[in-house]
Amino acid sequence: MNSNLMILPANRITNIRLIQIPDDIVGHEAYRYVTGLIAKVEENPEYSWDDVLDLLEERGFEAVDFVLGPSLD
């Protein structure tokens, strides 16, 4: 089973997220789409990851649990 995944980088390691992209959205479209959704949530200065996740899930994206490995540099 192949999954299209997207890493949502962050300045703080604890804020890095991984999401699964819906099958009907291709990579470059997903990037633009997620950027727009995050910008919409960021209009509220007191937003949280849960606010972002709720909007993503409404559009078919899913949060994926992951383990962040050691740095390669």
Side-chain angles (χ1 to χ4, degrees):
M1 174 181 148
N2 286 339
S3 295
N4 287 327
L5 303 173
M6 178 184 289
I7 297 171
L8 302 178
N11 291 333
R12 294 179 56 206
I13 291 173
T14 56
N15 292 340
I16 295 172
R17 302 290 189 247
L18 180 66
I19 58 173
Q20 183 171 343
I21 301 169
D23 292 335
D24 60 339
I25 301 177
V26 294
H28 68 281
E29 290 176 7
Y31 182 90
R32 290 181 185 171
Y33 197 66
V34 170
T35 300
L37 292 175
I38 291 171
K40 183 175 182 175
V41 172
E42 288 178 335
E43 290 174 359
N44 174 3
E46 297 181 19
Y47 76 94
S48 70
W49 162 244
D50 291 331
D51 299 327
V52 174
L53 182 58
D54 289 345
L55 196 55
L56 288 170
E57 286 179 341
E58 287 175 14
R59 306 313 199 274
F61 293 84
E62 261 182 70
V64 178
D65 290 331
F66 67 97
V67 174
L68 188 61
S71 175
L72 295 174
D73 57 358

